Amino acid sequence: MRRLVPLMLILTWLAAPLPVAADEPAADSDAEAIRAAALDYLEGWYTGDADRMERALHPDLAKRIVRPTDDGPDRVDNMSALRLVQATRAGWGTRVPSDQRRADIVILDVFGNAATVRADARDWVDYLHVGKVDGQWKIINVLWEMRPRPE
């Protein structure tokens, strides 16, 4: 019996699945698709290309910003995918002169079907949560902050 217990432990250990590294790099194709979604979002905004913006966004997108107030609790403002697409179609982003446009994308992390991306625009910074939905990378959540205006 003494020999049987260690043998069973060894067999159990050998039968266990091997752990998968949590920080495996994203496949090149995933990284390219994540970057393309982020660029469709920013460049679509700047060029007024609502189709490109819509392609980047999941329909359930939630875009939020925390707005401090002087006389009460901070406010969290929300923007939907529909509102963002409509603002793009209306040309709000085209008001930024082309020589002042900024669309810097940094993929911060990818794990499975989830990614976090920092997108730097001229007037704001977005932290994008991007998910692979039905084989396509879509922006699902955005937390953003305005850059301080030069005095």
Side-chain angles (χ1 to χ4, degrees):
M1 185 67 171
R2 281 188 176 176
R3 290 184 183 176
L4 188 56
V5 171
L7 179 61
M8 289 180 68
L9 287 174
I10 290 171
L11 290 174
T12 302
W13 178 76
L14 289 173
L18 295 174
V20 177
D23 295 323
E24 290 181 10
D28 286 343
S29 60
D30 281 333
E32 289 173 20
I34 292 165
R35 181 173 173 70
L39 287 172
D40 279 346
Y41 168 74
L42 284 180
E43 293 174 354
W45 173 254
Y46 286 134
T47 61
D49 188 338
D51 291 334
R52 198 169 174 192
M53 175 65 78
E54 190 169 18
R55 179 173 62 226
L57 305 179
H58 187 276
D60 293 330
L61 171 105
K63 182 174 180 173
R64 297 182 174 101
I65 186 170
V66 177
R67 297 206 189 262
T69 60
D70 294 332
D71 58 347
D74 292 347
R75 197 175 78 228
V76 177
D77 289 339
N78 296 290
M79 190 180 306
S80 68
L82 178 61
R83 184 171 164 210
L84 196 52
V85 170
Q86 289 173 336
T88 302
R89 185 171 285 114
W92 286 91
T94 63
R95 297 174 181 178
V96 177
S98 59
D99 64 334
Q100 295 179 24
R101 295 175 184 175
R102 181 175 176 184
D104 299 328
I105 306 300
V106 178
I107 299 172
L108 301 173
D109 189 39
V110 180
F111 183 81
N113 293 320
T116 300
V117 176
R118 178 179 168 139
D120 282 80
R122 183 190 77 167
D123 297 326
W124 70 90
V125 174
D126 286 328
Y127 290 95
L128 312 175
H129 284 153
V130 186
K132 194 172 190 178
V133 180
D134 297 326
Q136 296 183 342
W137 288 95
K138 299 286 185 177
I139 301 168
I140 297 172
N141 293 308
V142 179
L143 181 62
W144 64 295
E145 184 69 31
M146 293 296 296
R147 292 185 184 281
R149 292 206 179 260
E151 304 268 335

